[in-house]
Amino acid sequence: DSGVTQTPKHLITATGQRVTLRCSPRSGDLSVYWYQQSLDQGLQFLIQYYNGEERAKGNILERFSAQQFPDLHSELNLSSLELGDSALYFCASSVGTSGSLDNEQFFGPGTRLTVL
Amino acid sequence: AQKITQTQPGMFVQEKEAVTLDCTYDTSDPSYGLFWYKQPSSGEMIFLIYQGSYDQQNATEGRYSLNFQKARKSANLVISASQLGDSAMYFCAMREAGGTGGFKTIFGAGTRLFVKA
């Protein structure tokens, strides 16, 4: 158990809908990262938040947005869902002090999203 | 642009033997970190080992070692004394500073390792 929790574990929805994925980082970790793992795109970095602020952005679609709340949990919002958004979405956390490239990231179990 | 290449989609190894999983990377940033993760069939991502771009010595963690050849831009994972439980997907990843104090991590396509009894 990494200490990172993600809810829900599974989510099935229809095209055009909007969903919210939730992540609680390990106690004491200030950084949260979101990743998407799909069969055709592999593992892709989406976005990083550190202590409530966006710090790095990857291949995140405009239909997707994220935020990190004062209690440090994070939510990833996916809207106007398409079939191709079906994937495993991981959240990871790290201590994340700025400038430390060697901070280990601890991954949550993931949320499997299926868009029908 | 940053890039991670894992050229072995699948590998077989006999139990108790050593195996090397290849990874090459491309970056123009002098400061970066290289990681290996294991993803068993259950789906979770497990951190295995880290190598910093300025580290002089190769990283080791138990049965895992990282063969870091900076000039060749390679970061191969060596698993010694393979066990049946090592059967999994293995991802090489590179982390770079992403501006505004953040970090971007890019992953390779992965290598699926099968350990034979």
Side-chain angles (χ1 to χ4, degrees), chain B residues 41-112:
Chain B
S41 56
S42 52
E44 74 264 36
M45 293 288 288
I46 302 167
F47 165 79
L48 295 178
I49 197 165
Y50 163 81
Q51 179 85 41
S53 59
Y54 296 117
D55 293 344
Q56 297 295 316
Q57 299 205 332
N58 288 343
T60 59
E61 290 282 351
R63 294 186 299 111
Y64 305 107
S65 60
L66 199 153
N67 185 359
F68 181 45
Q69 297 189 39
K70 195 169 183 176
R72 295 180 61 192
K73 293 189 174 178
S74 76
N76 299 339
L77 177 71
V78 181
I79 305 175
S80 62
S82 298
Q83 302 171 356
L84 294 178
D86 294 335
S87 293
M89 189 73 132
Y90 289 81
F91 291 97
C92 179
M94 178 172 66
R95 189 176 307 161
E96 290 184 330
T100 59
F103 305 105
K104 294 184 179 184
T105 304
I106 58 166
F107 286 82
T111 294
R112 186 166 293 282

Side-chain angles (χ1 to χ4, degrees), chain B residues 9-28:
Chain B
M11 288 274 290
F12 284 88
V13 64
Q14 197 67 40
E15 193 180 10
K16 297 180 187 171
E17 291 185 352
V19 63
T20 298
L21 306 184
D22 294 341
C23 173
T24 58
Y25 60 93
D26 189 23
T27 180
S28 56

Side-chain angles (χ1 to χ4, degrees), chain A residues 37 45 48 55 57 102-103, chain B residues 39 95 99-100 102-104:
Chain A
Q37 185 177 30
F45 166 71
Q48 178 206 357
R55 285 299 182 96
K57 217 165 183 176
D102 62 333
N103 282 148
Chain B
Q39 187 177 39
R95 189 176 307 161
T100 59
F103 305 105
K104 294 184 179 184

